[in-house]
């Protein structure tokens, strides 16, 4: 059978690669069509239909993109697809009744891990058998009702699974191949907001098996060796395990040592390693040992630095462990960044203040902050739906923080920090790539004196930006603590001023980031890297022959001749309509965050009152009624439409923190900022001027423009003469329901 798999491709999609591998082993032709940009929905549908598949599989890993993939499902049906349409991933595994029962055209959901279920589904379809007899599926029965078949046990032995198909070439960071890898699955944590742990708990409840499973070190090393031998030079391996470190530091160290010993037997030289770690699994001794074995970056899951906040989110009493973990990484020379879920249902201003102080105390580590989101099926979602009327729908819930002033602070920060925290090329994302880029250069290039200076500059700039973020957050805190919450005029004016101040500071931070990223790229372009070439041993050559590498793991192998798509479709608006122009795959590491979009990111600056949750599907619009699923981009200085218009030194984005809250959800009107406008800036060149206009604003708004260059006019359209192409114009837009602050770089203008 011809099978077409569609999934995100901001990095190589290992989930899609695994499903492609097992389908190919079962004798099916497999094509991969990437879907990164909601604006490319029609193009993706045409490409998928052009492969003439019998089965299309949608990989819907995270809730914040579910509305886009379900809109794609409807578009495929509208385009004439009459074959079998299935979906898999975290979100549909937990929300299978909604995915199947809301008219999206999806026939089945492959529940939980699909390496055994998906080939069984294909076999049933090929033989004309009932799909309801396949364990591990949810399906639409003959009478139109939705049901699930008996559960399937989670695979116990991950070594028995094939290596994933590598359906496209690897990304490179400063000339170093960057290769995602999976060494284990599952997590022992009990975080209330986490869709990962909820997914595995649900799998165990229905089919049994262990939630935490590991491939053997020898099996992991075999895949690493094959991949390293293909690229022919030392790569970076990014472990997408939910936890690279194990509960006991001694077990982590033993596992890493065994992987390194096996790599030595295959003739693999130096590599770089990237992974994730819970703070309570890191000790100074372990951090030093990991650095010695090639670990250059760990994402440390801080989540909330307040003891109360951590307890509310199911993180346990971890404040001391968090600080010690970050200090251990810094002393060992391992780069890390982190995210703070400072807004959660029971948060208070004191809790937020503790988090702001934590940012100051650890300013060398780049940070982003946001709200914990109640993703479908998580304990946080289930608790909140019993304690308050949630806004939104199954595609994205919105809730009210219990403390009024903390809820107001959230709304203020949602507007004022929107671009800094969540624009793909915003300051927060770009800063998170800065220290990582320095570590890549340190690991793979010789230092002639310039590299040490670059590293010191990266650390100093990171510290300056972190302290600025902490200071802006503290100003918002002080204001909200003192203001009358019912004084909308004062709250909205102060929010607009703070947003413009942050945007003005971002202009300076972007200029400094441009300079240092440009210097890093120039260093890498002009300096031959240290070579520790792979020298395949007899053992590695034997392994390659036994696994028929060319048909499975080879870079770019897509497994069929039915219109395979290797490169992703152009991204004109980006995931969540935030990325408006992709960088080239081999351009470096700017704005680089080497893990998936956060499960709990987002501050909703664009919410309005919807129809009741689950109000149905608007087929004509291709979206869920009551949810804006493809809003106009909020351009945080990233809308470079053509290569000539891209900002200088704009390097590779493989993944970013994103605003993942619902685009339409209820906010109560008893507090200000309940309905901020959804706006963006557009511009055209007119000689040495730009004509800039606000788009998407309601008829009656107040505006305040700000820029270094001369601005003519005061309304929704102005003429602006920037000093240079790096300058940005900013505007605060105030409507009846709230404030939005947006900016635009001169290079983004058309013409």
């Amino acid at each position: 059978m011809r099978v077409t798999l569609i999934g995100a491709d901001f990095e190589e999609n290992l989930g899609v690669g695994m499903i492609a591998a097992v389908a190919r082993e079962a004798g099916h032709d497999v094509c991969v069509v990437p879907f990164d940009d909601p604006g490319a929905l029609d193009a993706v549908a045409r490409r998928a239909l052009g492969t003439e598949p019998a089965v299309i599989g949608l990989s819907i890993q995270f809730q914040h993109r579910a509305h886009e993939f379900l809109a794609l499902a409807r578009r495929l049906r509208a385009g004439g697809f009459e074959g079998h349409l299935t979906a898999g991933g975290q979100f549909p595994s937990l929300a299978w009744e909604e995915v199947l029962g809301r008219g999206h055209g999806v026939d089945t959901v492959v529940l939980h891990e699909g390496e055994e279920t998906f080939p069984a589904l294909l076999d049933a379809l090929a033989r004309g058998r009932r799909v309801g007899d396949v364990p591990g599926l949810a399906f639409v029965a003959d009478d139109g009702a939705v049901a699930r078949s008996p559960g399937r046990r989670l695979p116990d032995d991950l070594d028995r699974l094939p290596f994933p198909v590598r359906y496209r070439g690897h990304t490179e960071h400063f000339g170093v191949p960057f290769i995602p890898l999976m060494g284990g699955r599952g997590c022992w944590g009990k975080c209330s907001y986490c869709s990962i742990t909820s997914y595995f708990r649900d799998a165990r409840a229905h089919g049994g098996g262990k939630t935490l499973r590991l491939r053997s070190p020898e099996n992991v090393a075999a895949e690493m060796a094959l991949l390293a031998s293909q690229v022919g030079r030392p790569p970076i391996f990014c472990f997408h395990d939910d936890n690279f470190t194990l509960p006991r530091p001694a077990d982590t160290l033993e596992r890493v040592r065994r992987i390194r010993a096996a790599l030595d037997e295959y003739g693999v030289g130096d590599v770089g390693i990237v992974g994730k770690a819970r703070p309570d699994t890191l000790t100074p001794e372990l951090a030093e040992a990991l650095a010695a074995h090639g670990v250059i970056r760990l994402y440390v899951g801080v989540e909330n630095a307040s003891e109360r906040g951590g307890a509310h989110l199911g993180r346990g009493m971890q404040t001391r462990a968090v600080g010690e973990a970050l200090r251990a990484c810094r002393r060992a020379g391992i780069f890390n960044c982190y995210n703070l879920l400072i807004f959660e249902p029971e948060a208070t201003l004191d809790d937020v203040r503790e988090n702001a102080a934590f940012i100051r105390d650890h300013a060398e580590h780049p940070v982003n902050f946001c709200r914990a989101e109640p993703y479908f099926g998580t304990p946080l979602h289930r608790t909140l739906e019993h304690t308050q009327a949630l806004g939104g729908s199954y595609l994205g819930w919105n809730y009210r923080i219990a403390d009024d002033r903390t809820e107001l602070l959230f709304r203020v920060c949602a507007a004022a920090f929107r671009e800094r925290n969540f624009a793909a090329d915003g300051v927060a994302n770009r800063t998170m790539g800065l220290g990582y880029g320095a570590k890549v250069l340190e690991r793979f290039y010789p230092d002639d004196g310039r590299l040490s200076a670059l590293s010191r500059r990266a650390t100093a700039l990171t510290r300056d930006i972190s302290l600025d973020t902490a200071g802006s957050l503290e100003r918002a805190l002080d204001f909200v603590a003192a203001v009358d919450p019912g004084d909308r005029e004062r709250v909205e004016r102060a929010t607009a001023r703070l947003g413009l101040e942050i945007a003005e500071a971002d202009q300076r931070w972007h200029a400094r980031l441009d300079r240092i990223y440009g210097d890093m790229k120039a260093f890498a372009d002009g300096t031959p890297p240290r070579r520790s070439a792979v020298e395949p041993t007899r053992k590695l050559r034997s392994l390659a022959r036994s696994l028929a590498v060319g048909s499975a793991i080879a870079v770019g192998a897509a497994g069929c001749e039915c219109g395979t798509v290797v490169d992703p479709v152009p991204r004109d608006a980006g995931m969540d309509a935030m990325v408006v122009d992709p960088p080239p795959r081999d351009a470096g590491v700017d704005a680089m965050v080497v893990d998936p979009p956060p499960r709990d990111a987002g501050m909703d600056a664009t919410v309005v009152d919807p129809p009741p949750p689950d109000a149905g599907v608007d087929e004509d619009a291709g979206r869920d009624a009551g949810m804006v699923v493809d809003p106009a981009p909020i351009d945080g200085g990233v809308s470079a439409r053509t290569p000539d218009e891209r900002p200088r030194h704009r390097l590779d984005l493989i993944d970013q923190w994103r605003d993942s809250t619902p685009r339409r959800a209820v906010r109560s009107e008893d507090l200000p900022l309940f309905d901020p406008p959804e706006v963006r800036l557009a511009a055209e060149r007119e000689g040495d001027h730009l004509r800039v206009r606000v788009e998407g604003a309601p008829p009656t708004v107040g505006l305040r423009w700000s820029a270094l260059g001369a601005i003519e006019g005061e309304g929704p359209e102005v003429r602006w003469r920037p000093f240079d192409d790096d300058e940005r114009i900013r505007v605060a837009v105030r409507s009846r329901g709230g404030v939005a602050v947006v900016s635009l770089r001169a290079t983004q203008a058309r013409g």
Side-chain angles (χ1 to χ4, degrees):
M1 297 175 67
R2 283 187 171 178
V3 178
T4 295
L5 303 176
I6 304 175
D9 189 62
F10 292 93
E11 288 185 24
E12 299 171 52
N13 192 317
L14 293 179
V16 167
M18 290 296 295
I19 296 301
V22 294
R24 285 179 49 183
E25 278 196 342
H28 303 282
D29 293 330
V30 183
C31 304
V32 175
V33 177
F35 179 32
D36 291 340
D37 166 22
L41 187 147
D42 286 331
V44 172
R46 287 194 300 271
R47 291 189 182 193
L49 293 172
T51 65
E52 299 182 354
V55 177
I56 294 179
L58 303 178
S59 174
I60 313 176
Q61 191 67 346
F62 302 117
Q63 180 169 311
H64 68 282
R65 293 207 66 202
H67 56 273
E68 298 163 10
F69 276 86
L70 295 177
L72 175 62
R74 299 193 295 272
R75 195 63 52 86
L76 290 168
R77 291 302 190 192
F81 180 64
E82 297 180 351
H84 190 87
L85 185 57
T86 188
Q90 286 180 27
F91 175 74
S93 290
L94 294 171
W96 58 272
E97 292 181 86
E98 288 74 14
V99 169
L100 295 175
R102 295 293 194 275
H104 300 296
V106 179
D107 296 307
T108 58
V109 168
V110 176
L111 300 169
H112 311 116
E113 296 177 10
E115 286 86 2
E116 296 175 359
T117 303
F118 189 68
L121 170 63
L122 296 180
D123 183 68
L125 293 171
R127 297 174 184 270
R129 296 176 178 172
R130 279 174 30 89
V131 297
D133 294 334
V134 176
L137 277 181
F139 59 95
V140 180
D142 293 339
D143 61 0
V146 298
R148 66 187 300 166
S149 65
R152 184 185 294 274
R153 183 179 176 85
L154 289 167
D156 291 307
D157 185 1
L158 298 184
D159 285 7
R160 298 185 62 182
L161 300 178
F163 295 154
V165 168
R166 301 289 174 162
Y167 57 86
R168 67 160 171 86
H170 307 303
T171 301
E172 292 191 355
H173 296 157
F174 291 129
V176 180
F178 179 86
I179 307 176
L181 194 76
M182 183 276 295
R185 295 178 179 177
C187 178
W188 61 92
K190 298 180 180 179
C191 305
S192 65
Y193 55 87
C194 184
S195 60
I196 295 174
T197 56
S198 300
Y199 168 87
F200 283 113
R201 283 195 298 265
D202 188 73
R204 185 176 60 186
H206 287 90
K210 297 179 180 179
T211 55
L212 178 62
R213 290 146 296 138
L214 301 174
R215 294 167 62 188
S216 69
E218 292 73 23
N219 185 255
V220 172
E223 185 182 6
M224 294 172 71
L226 290 167
L227 291 164
S229 67
Q230 286 181 351
V231 297
R233 49 206 162 115
I236 299 166
F237 287 105
C238 176
F239 280 79
H240 276 296
D241 305 19
D242 302 310
N243 289 287
F244 180 72
T245 54
L246 301 175
R248 291 180 39 187
D251 293 339
T252 300
L253 183 55
E254 174 64 17
R255 179 172 173 80
V256 172
R257 283 174 172 167
R258 286 176 60 186
I259 290 173
R260 182 64 258 178
L263 290 176
D264 290 340
E265 292 181 6
Y266 288 122
V268 178
D270 289 340
V271 299
I273 294 175
V274 167
K276 306 181 185 74
R278 287 178 62 94
D280 53 2
T281 65
L282 276 174
T283 63
E285 296 76 19
L286 177 59
E288 292 285 350
L290 292 177
H293 282 80
V295 175
I296 61 174
R297 189 262 194 199
L298 285 174
Y299 170 74
V300 177
V302 176
E303 314 303 359
N304 196 300
S306 160
E307 201 74 74
R308 277 172 36 88
H312 295 161
L313 295 172
R315 298 287 296 177
M317 309 300 282
Q318 61 156 11
T319 301
R320 181 175 178 180
V322 164
E324 290 179 350
L326 293 182
R327 283 188 288 271
C329 287
R330 183 170 66 249
R331 294 185 187 119
I334 298 174
F335 169 75
N336 62 73
C337 58
Y338 64 99
N339 189 41
L340 287 175
L341 308 178
I342 64 176
F343 296 108
E344 42 87 10
E346 300 178 65
T348 66
L349 295 186
D350 287 341
D351 296 332
V352 177
R353 200 173 293 280
E354 285 186 46
N355 280 280
F358 185 87
I359 295 173
R360 285 193 175 279
D361 291 342
H362 300 277
E364 293 84 0
H365 305 285
V367 63
N368 207 338
F369 68 86
C370 56
R371 184 179 73 170
E373 296 306 319
Y375 290 114
F376 192 97
T378 60
L380 181 59
H381 165 220
R382 297 306 185 194
T383 298
L384 287 173
E385 70 178 352
H386 288 102
T387 60
Q388 61 177 276
L390 294 174
S393 77
Y394 64 96
L395 293 175
W397 302 109
N398 192 54
Y399 65 90
R400 164 103 177 212
I401 297 172
D403 179 71
D404 285 350
R405 288 190 183 272
T406 310
E407 170 68 19
L408 179 58
L409 178 62
F410 163 69
R411 297 182 184 190
V412 170
C413 290
F417 285 89
R418 177 80 177 231
E419 286 195 347
R420 174 175 291 193
N421 284 11
F422 295 106
D425 267 7
V427 166
N429 280 323
R430 297 190 72 195
T431 309
M432 287 184 172
L434 195 59
Y436 168 77
K439 292 302 177 186
V440 172
L441 296 177
E442 289 174 6
R443 181 73 183 177
F444 295 98
Y445 287 85
D447 186 7
D448 58 5
R450 291 177 297 160
L451 185 52
S452 298
L454 281 172
S455 296
R456 289 193 297 271
R457 284 173 58 194
T459 300
L461 180 52
T462 297
R463 181 177 178 81
D464 289 346
I465 292 172
S466 295
L467 292 175
D468 184 67
T469 292
S472 296
L473 177 57
E474 287 164 346
R475 289 201 303 278
L477 261 165
D478 292 340
F479 170 75
V480 169
V483 73
D484 174 3
D487 190 345
R488 292 187 178 180
E489 178 75 14
R490 188 178 175 197
V491 169
E492 291 175 359
R493 285 184 179 276
T495 301
R497 284 196 301 271
L498 178 62
L500 287 171
E501 289 171 7
I502 292 171
E504 183 177 354
D506 285 352
Q507 164 102 10
R508 299 190 297 271
W509 299 133
H510 279 300
R512 290 179 61 182
L513 287 162
D514 284 347
R515 288 194 294 271
I516 191 169
Y517 274 122
D519 291 345
M520 285 181 172
K521 187 173 187 303
F523 177 88
D525 290 345
T527 306
R530 282 197 302 264
R531 292 289 179 180
S532 178
V534 178
E535 299 179 359
T537 61
R538 179 179 300 177
K539 183 176 181 179
L540 178 54
R541 289 191 291 269
S542 175
L543 174 68
R545 288 192 298 270
S546 68
L547 291 181
V549 178
S551 66
I553 201 172
V555 171
C560 69
E561 298 179 358
C562 57
T564 297
V565 178
V566 175
D567 294 324
V569 296
R571 299 173 231 159
D572 297 323
M575 189 162 61
D576 279 346
M578 298 289 280
V579 179
V580 291
D581 181 61
R585 289 200 180 280
D586 304 315
V589 296
D590 192 4
M592 156 85 200
V593 177
V594 286
D595 34 30
R599 283 77 169 166
D600 309 280
M603 291 184 283
D604 190 356
T606 60
V607 293
V608 299
D609 293 341
D614 306 333
V617 176
D618 181 350
E619 293 288 347
D620 293 334
R623 61 183 63 188
D624 222 51
M627 298 285 291
V628 179
V629 299
D630 189 10
I634 298 173
D635 298 328
V638 296
S639 180
R641 297 289 182 174
T642 70
D644 292 338
E645 296 168 346
R646 291 175 186 161
R648 292 178 307 194
H649 314 314
R650 187 177 188 281
L651 305 179
D652 193 22
L653 290 162
I654 65 165
D655 239 328
Q656 314 87 36
W657 299 104
R658 298 183 185 276
D659 179 350
S660 58
T661 47
R663 286 292 179 263
R664 282 189 180 270
V666 174
R667 275 190 186 168
S668 58
E669 296 190 24
D670 61 317
L671 291 175
L673 306 174
F674 60 88
D675 184 9
E678 292 183 56
V679 296
R680 68 181 184 275
L681 292 180
E684 290 84 30
R685 290 191 177 274
E686 296 180 349
D688 59 354
H689 286 74
L690 276 67
R691 187 169 296 278
V692 186
R693 65 183 178 277
V694 176
E695 295 184 345
T700 304
V701 294
L703 301 107
R704 180 177 176 182
W705 295 89
S706 174
L708 293 176
I711 299 174
E712 300 175 11
E714 297 180 348
E717 183 171 295
V718 298
R719 294 182 79 235
W720 170 44
R721 184 173 183 174
F723 287 119
D724 58 46
D725 285 344
D726 290 328
E727 190 183 340
R728 297 168 187 262
I729 189 170
R730 304 168 289 277
V731 63
V733 181
R734 184 180 172 200
S735 67
R736 187 187 74 85
V739 172
V741 179
V742 291
S743 66
L744 178 139
R745 192 170 184 166
T747 52
Q748 294 174 245
R750 297 181 183 277

